[in-house]
Amino acid sequence: MFLKSHNNPKGNTITDIDFLNLRLSGMRVTEEYEFTSAENSIEIAYYNMSYANGSEERMPIKRTICEKQTVIDALNGFDFIKWNGFHGNHPRGVLDGTMFKLTAVYNGGERLQADGSQNFPKHFNEFRMWLYGILNESEETCE
């Protein structure tokens, strides 16, 4: 199910991205991707969650800096804005899988939220592969 954003004056196009957080949870791993914006660049950071100390702790794994327009073009290519309001119920008969929660702030304060359990918006898997590729090309690991 998709809910159209009623207060997006730019239509279905991202012109600026301020923040994005994608949390993926499976049976054995919980991970997060986080975008933070600077003037002309976006830092993309990848984290795994650790529970070794009895509470959730975000462990930085990898990060990279991308040109902001490259990220904007990619998000528009995935029809990212159309994901707003998506809620993917867990498919009947599927015993496990991946849950996701996505939040973003774009175009000067517009907010996007989407979530699901082994049920994703159109182009979501391409988006995940793009993130994996961008970070895989990066030489910068976090220690």
Side-chain angles (χ1 to χ4, degrees), residues 102-113:
L102 174 69
T103 57
V105 178
Y106 64 97
N107 292 1
E110 296 295 317
R111 297 192 181 282
L112 179 141
Q113 291 186 310

Side-chain angles (χ1 to χ4, degrees), residues 27-28 43 65 77 101 105 109 129:
M27 292 292 289
R28 292 185 173 87
E43 178 181 332
I65 305 291
K101 182 173 182 172
V105 178
M129 293 306 294

Side-chain angles (χ1 to χ4, degrees), residues 13-33:
T13 303
I14 292 177
T15 57
D16 193 18
I17 184 82
D18 297 317
F19 175 81
L20 184 148
N21 181 278
L22 172 63
R23 183 178 180 97
L24 300 165
S25 302
M27 292 292 289
R28 292 185 173 87
V29 67
T30 299
E31 55 192 349
E32 282 187 356
Y33 296 89

Side-chain angles (χ1 to χ4, degrees), residues 1 3 22 24 33 40-41 49 52 57 74 76 81 89 96-97 99 102 110 114 116 132 134-135:
M1 168 197 345
L3 302 174
L22 172 63
L24 300 165
Y33 296 89
N40 293 313
S41 63
M49 300 308 149
E57 185 178 349
N76 285 323
I81 288 179
N89 291 324
D96 61 6
M99 295 182 295
L102 174 69
E110 296 295 317
Y132 177 81
I134 289 285
L135 287 162

Side-chain angles (χ1 to χ4, degrees), residues 7-127:
N7 55 355
N8 181 1
K10 304 273 192 252
N12 287 334
T13 303
I14 292 177
T15 57
D16 193 18
I17 184 82
D18 297 317
F19 175 81
L20 184 148
N21 181 278
L22 172 63
R23 183 178 180 97
L24 300 165
S25 302
M27 292 292 289
R28 292 185 173 87
V29 67
T30 299
E31 55 192 349
E32 282 187 356
Y33 296 89
E34 189 168 88
F35 293 21
T36 50
S37 179
E39 188 172 324
N40 293 313
S41 63
I42 300 281
E43 178 181 332
I44 301 174
Y46 172 68
Y47 303 90
N48 278 337
M49 300 308 149
S50 171
Y51 302 92
N53 295 328
S55 64
E56 182 176 275
E57 185 178 349
R58 229 164 61 148
M59 307 297 292
I61 304 297
K62 205 158 195 180
R63 68 184 280 278
T64 191
I65 305 291
C66 298
E67 182 181 293
K68 186 181 274 191
Q69 192 59 51
T70 300
V71 173
I72 290 169
D73 291 345
L75 292 173
N76 285 323
F78 300 125
D79 289 329
F80 184 77
I81 288 179
K82 291 181 181 179
W83 300 357
N84 193 27
F86 180 90
H87 175 70
N89 291 324
H90 194 79
R92 186 176 302 221
V94 175
L95 300 179
D96 61 6
T98 300
M99 295 182 295
F100 84 95
K101 182 173 182 172
L102 174 69
T103 57
V105 178
Y106 64 97
N107 292 1
E110 296 295 317
R111 297 192 181 282
L112 179 141
Q113 291 186 310
D115 64 80
S117 179
Q118 202 54 37
N119 193 343
F120 308 102
K122 188 175 182 180
H123 304 300
F124 184 83
N125 287 325
E126 292 97 322
F127 173 62

